[in-house]
Each structure stands twice: as C-alpha cells, then as structure tokens.
Amino acid sequence: MRLPRSTSQPGLSAQRELRARELRASGEESARVEPCPRNTDAYVSRDVASFAEASPTAECAMDCSEEQDLRRPAPCSYLQPGQQYQGTQRVSQASATASEDWGVQVCIEEVNLETGYVCGSMRAENVPKAKSPVVTFWEGDIIDNVNHSFITCKWGADKKIDVKHWPRFDGFEPLRKRVQNSGGRCGGLSTHTHIFMRWKERNFVNVGEDCGLTIAGFYYICISRQTGSIEGFYHDPHSSPFQKLQLRPLQAEWRQGYVSSQFEYR
C-alpha cells in the first residue's frame, strides 16, 4: 500500500520498473484471471448488426500490409512511468449524486510502446464494505495496430460489447469508419489526438478478495494528448453497466527520465 507524499528525486525510472515487477509478482500466485492473448479480431462499428456480419476469415487476424498509416501511437508526455492521475468513478448511472462516486487515484508504472504494454496501480476510496482504500495492480493494452486492435477478443468481451463502448468516446468518432473498414485497426493513430487502451485489474495489493470490490471486469480507456485527461468505461456483465471513470493528471515536471511530482505512492 502506497500513500501520497512529496518527493523530488532522481532515479525514479528504475524504481518504477522494480515496483511494477513487484506488483506483477504479487498476483502470480492467484490465477483468478485469464492471460492476455494477442488482441486481434474483426472490425468495430457503431451498428451491432454490421459487427455480426464481419467475415469469419477476418477475425483474429491483422494484416498490416494495407497502404495506410498503421504506425504505433507516438509517445505522449502524459503516458509515462510515474505520472499520477486523480478523479472519480461513477458506480451507478441511476443517480448523478456525488455519493455514487468513488475517489480514484492512478499511477502509471510502466509503458512500452513497442509491445503495446502499460501497467500501473489504482487506488479506490469510499468503496462500500471496505475498511480502507483498495489498491489494485492493473495491466493494459495500448491500441497500436500491431500488437492490439480495437477488438478485445478476451475477458468475456465480444464484438457487440466493443461496439457499445468505443463510440462513447468523443475521440473515437473521427476514427469510427476507418476502424470499421480495416479489421479493427485504424490508420492515423500515430498522430491522433487521443490514445486508446484497455486496463485489466490483475490482483489486489493491500486487501483480500472480500474487500467489497470486484476486479472481474476491465476498462475501455481514452486519454487526451492535449490535456492528459482520461475517460474510461468499466465493463463487467455482473456489475452496473458503463461505470464512468474520469481522471485528470496531477502536475508533474519531467526531467532527464525522472518525475518530480506532488504525490508519490509508497
């Protein structure tokens, strides 16, 4: 369990990598979730019927030979190891009151654009039945046309689930037709205004499974390159649908590979 404290010290990059390995190792003894297979599938469309009509031969296959810009997303200053976020998760759509929100803090621990991998920790507050904030370790896919497409193809999500979530992001609308026509990939991600991801919580860090919080589902994630704001929707067929995650970046100063931030989890 890590608590916020003021910090400004070099060498945090190596510490982040070590911390990520420790968090990942803490969940290896519990095989409660399925592994992350290479993410490929057919195309994404706003219309569920068109999803169902995708050619079976196109499913789970990404041919990058098409003549379009299928480069990986370029680096983003807001998606770096050590970056902190703070915000809320709306647990229920039935009520718009603040009492339905959980306080959430996120720390990015590791980012690898070459493999489309990202991981970090999430701290949830005001969780019903939990005696203290709940910290989880999560791993994620960066949608990059090479390692991962917009089609989830795992974690119990099929094409119909994808089509209900990606279009909820304003940043996805300019890409919708291209994604639909290109087997779940999309040209122009390298310079697009947003980066898309999926985050899957792997294990609890500071509490047991009886803490009152489930991690069976996963998040569809969209981050703005311009503001660093993160929007997400949590999917779990056994929980309230479309639980909305909203995060803003905490101010950080990047210098020579390390971060000096107002908050540091311990």
Side-chain angles (χ1 to χ4, degrees):
M1 180 176 179
R2 298 181 296 172
L3 299 176
R5 71 175 179 83
S6 176
T7 183
S8 178
Q9 66 181 83
L12 284 182
S13 178
Q15 293 181 24
R16 296 291 179 193
E17 293 181 6
L18 177 61
R19 176 60 177 167
R21 288 196 294 269
E22 292 174 345
L23 288 171
R24 190 181 300 109
S26 69
E28 290 180 350
E29 297 180 358
S30 177
R32 290 179 288 103
V33 294
E34 60 201 74
C36 295
R38 182 181 177 90
N39 172 40
T40 55
D41 208 318
Y43 58 75
V44 173
S45 168
R46 183 183 296 275
D47 181 65
V48 174
S50 64
F51 244 100
E53 294 170 0
S55 170
T57 59
E59 292 190 8
C60 296
M62 292 196 300
D63 179 6
C64 294
S65 63
E66 297 182 17
E67 294 182 0
Q68 56 176 313
D69 179 9
L70 294 178
R71 291 176 298 171
R72 296 176 175 87
C76 173
S77 61
Y78 291 106
L79 189 61
Q80 299 285 346
Q83 178 64 60
Q84 307 282 336
Y85 292 89
Q86 190 172 48
T88 60
Q89 178 169 330
R90 175 62 48 84
V91 181
S92 173
Q93 287 189 316
S95 173
T97 63
S99 60
E100 295 292 334
D101 292 349
W102 291 349
V104 176
Q105 295 182 29
V106 166
C107 177
I108 304 296
E109 301 284 356
E110 181 180 341
V111 177
N112 189 326
L113 295 178
E114 186 70 20
T115 61
Y117 177 81
V118 60
C119 72
S121 59
M122 180 178 294
R123 173 188 172 103
E125 301 177 345
N126 305 323
V127 178
K129 299 181 181 180
K131 297 180 181 180
S132 63
V134 177
V135 180
T136 57
F137 170 69
W138 56 266
E139 294 181 297
D141 303 336
I142 300 174
I143 309 304
D144 61 2
N145 293 319
V146 179
N147 301 284
H148 308 289
S149 76
F150 281 96
I151 307 302
T152 303
C153 204
K154 57 185 175 183
W155 302 328
D158 57 19
K159 290 171 287 188
K160 292 183 179 180
I161 299 299
D162 289 328
V163 79
K164 292 178 180 179
H165 288 80
W166 290 123
R168 290 178 175 269
F169 299 115
D170 292 338
F172 180 79
E173 179 57 27
L175 308 177
R176 183 174 62 84
K177 291 184 178 180
R178 277 180 280 172
V179 171
Q180 175 181 343
N181 296 328
S182 301
R185 295 165 296 145
C186 181
L189 288 183
S190 62
T191 57
H192 190 55
T193 56
H194 294 75
I195 295 177
F196 301 91
M197 296 175 282
R198 285 178 289 258
W199 292 356
K200 177 72 178 82
E201 291 170 295
R202 289 299 183 181
N203 56 274
F204 294 103
V205 175
N206 66 324
V207 296
E209 296 184 15
D210 58 349
C211 65
L213 179 66
T214 176
I215 58 173
F218 70 96
Y219 293 87
Y220 291 85
I221 296 291
C222 177
I223 177 174
S224 168
R225 288 183 178 275
Q226 182 177 6
T227 67
S229 61
I230 289 179
E231 188 177 14
F233 292 97
Y234 184 73
H235 170 69
D236 178 356
H238 303 294
S239 300
S240 300
F242 308 116
Q243 297 183 30
K244 189 172 185 178
L245 180 71
Q246 291 181 295
L247 302 171
R248 61 177 177 81
L250 297 177
Q251 185 176 6
E253 181 181 359
W254 297 90
R255 291 178 181 171
Q256 300 178 351
Y258 70 92
V259 62
S260 172
S261 176
Q262 181 180 1
F263 291 93
E264 164 72 8
Y265 284 110
R266 271 307 210 198

